[in-house]
Amino acid sequence: MTKIVVVGAVAGGATVASQIRRLDQDSEIVVFEKDRDMSFANCALPYYIGNVVNSRDHVLEATPEQFYSKKHITVKTYHEVTAIDDANSKVIVYDKKAEQSYTVDYDKLILSPGCSANNLNLNSPISFTLRNMEDTDAIYQFIEQNHVQKALVIGAGYISLEVVDNLYERNIDTTLIHRSEHINKLMDADMNQPILDEMDKRNITYHLNESVTKVIGNEVYFKSGRIEQFDLIIEGVGVKPNSSFMKSSQLNLDEHGYIPVNDKFETNIPNIYALGDIITSHYRHVDLPAHVPLAWGAHRGASIIAEQIAGNPNIRFKGYLGSNIVKFFDYTFASVGVSPKELEHFDYKSVELNQYDHAGYYPNKNKIHLRVYFDVSNRRIIRAAAVGKSGVDKRIDILSMAMMHHSTIDDLTDFEVAYAPPYSRPKDIINMIGYKARNL
Ligand SMILES: Cc1cc2nc3c(=O)[nH]c(=O)nc-3n(C[C@H](O)[C@H](O)[C@H](O)COP(=O)(O)OP(=O)(O)OC[C@H]3O[C@@H](n4cnc5c(N)ncnc54)[C@H](O)[C@@H]3O)c2cc1C
């Protein structure tokens, strides 16, 4: 019987274990998780803090007992894999409760350990990071028990923006600070203005080019010299890969500690696969490496690894497109393709439009600002970004599908939209981008 060992029991780990079981009833599957919980919905955590998702059971999707009884998969929480002995196909596991280590053999090893939140070492009981269910419970209880009125969110990546939105939903007076002016980095910098406008509209204070130097009690000291009292601090200051335990092995890691994998999610060592936030791979539409630490990639990786192990070698990863989206109050910000920084690898042009999402005479119309970048050498679309109050997700998903098929900017004129006044216009903004590009 094949023995499959999985490291990490959340998005990638729990999903790969389930997918393998779907295709193979016989293998022994053991999943090790260093923390308390398995299979929670990371993406739901900010919304649970905001009481928008109001049931904890909806966030915590499975327990080890359920996994075993439904799928015959063993999940061991509070068990940390501390080393890999790839020469002998073994891992060393530390049982945190029993406070002892032991060795486990594997035939196939699958790594999905994700990343950990960076923190600013503020050494303050009012300061938290948000990465898992334990963090979420701690923040939730702290808010309730201390009747939090005033919160500081440090950092302006997509998770921090979601946290600000959700704390506001709970009537907590929230301040956002960010160390530079470039907030929400996945987006074109000049398309982020509605983030600031949305905060202005709600009297949410924000300070750019600002950082915290120390915290004493409830007093927060800022680089600018300002001192202010807060009840709660949430730090969203980036992540680091959970790959230090791999250094005992011959696994190749890149200079940042991520694992490069091939199109079967294989690492450089036979029988060791990796997926999720820990990997680097490649883009689908252009010839560049890609690191896209988001949920879709973890789920796609899980499915492909399961197919590989089940003996279907032709089901392979075709690459990322980098699709991402975030809601910030009334606005949606989304993009697909190479990052704004990676555009430097191309001779590119862009076409942009501000157009209503549906017919101008039909109620509740909103403008979408859509920008599409193309490679001048072959006119293929390489990136698109959109912002607006409605219809943004649809346009970015359409462009993602277009990029999947290497469409050119001119092909967008041919996109046949499902039109009726509440949904679109006979010439959708996607078509109009194509028409406008003909002048370039
Ligand atoms: C608050 C939040 C909101 C998010 N929102 C979105 C969103 O809206 N859309 C989106 O696409 N993505 C979102 N993401 C990102 C998404 O959750 C990740 O891309 C996804 O969870 C990655 O899956 P993973 O398996 O690589 O890592 P994780 O899901 O983080 O799981 C890794 C697990 O491995 C465990 N582990 C690590 N090292 C070891 C070890 N040595 N031994 C045993 N266990 C170990 C960790 O404790 C962890 O539980 C969000 C993430 C967070 C934190």
Side-chain angles (χ1 to χ4, degrees), residues 126 150-152 173-177 205-207 210 212 214-222 224-233:
I126 69 166
K150 218 168 158 233
L152 173 67
D173 175 8
T174 304
T175 295
L176 175 79
I177 63 160
T205 309
Y206 57 87
H207 300 290
E210 181 63 293
V212 170
K214 63 179 173 183
V215 180
I216 301 175
N218 285 57
E219 229 150 54
V220 179
Y221 292 70
F222 293 95
S224 60
R226 201 182 13 249
I227 304 169
E228 212 177 322
Q229 300 251 337
F230 289 95
D231 306 324
L232 166 73
I233 302 173

Side-chain angles (χ1 to χ4, degrees), residues 8 10-12 32-35 42-43 81 112-114 158 276-277 293-295:
V10 189
F32 293 108
E33 168 54 57
K34 72 178 168 56
D35 290 336
N42 314 50
C43 312
V81 173
S112 194
Y158 78 94
D277 290 0
L294 290 169

Side-chain angles (χ1 to χ4, degrees), residues 17-67:
S18 298
Q19 294 290 319
I20 292 170
R21 178 57 81 231
R22 192 173 61 82
L23 299 174
D24 156 15
Q25 302 301 311
D26 300 325
S27 297
E28 180 187 353
I29 307 174
V30 184
V31 186
F32 293 108
E33 168 54 57
K34 72 178 168 56
D35 290 336
R36 188 190 67 189
D37 306 297
M38 68 166 295
S39 204
F40 52 85
N42 314 50
C43 312
L45 303 180
Y47 299 97
Y48 175 66
I49 289 173
N51 283 335
V52 173
V53 173
N54 53 19
S55 161
R56 193 174 177 279
D57 290 347
H58 288 155
V59 182
L60 206 51
E61 291 168 336
T63 62
E65 294 71 28
Q66 289 164 346
F67 238 54

Side-chain angles (χ1 to χ4, degrees), residues 3 46 48 71 89 164 183 186 253 346 357 370 389 406:
K3 179 158 184 186
Y48 175 66
K71 306 179 190 223
S89 298
V164 170
I183 57 177
L186 297 171
L253 300 178
F346 301 89
D357 58 335
L370 175 61
K389 287 184 174 172
H406 299 292

Side-chain angles (χ1 to χ4, degrees), residues 16 58 62 119 211 228 233 259 268 309 341-343 369 409 423 439:
V16 77
H58 288 155
N119 70 69
S211 54
E228 212 177 322
I233 302 173
I259 311 173
N268 63 306
I309 290 178
K341 181 147 190 343
E342 288 161 343
L343 284 169
H369 180 186
I409 189 93
Y423 303 106
N439 304 327

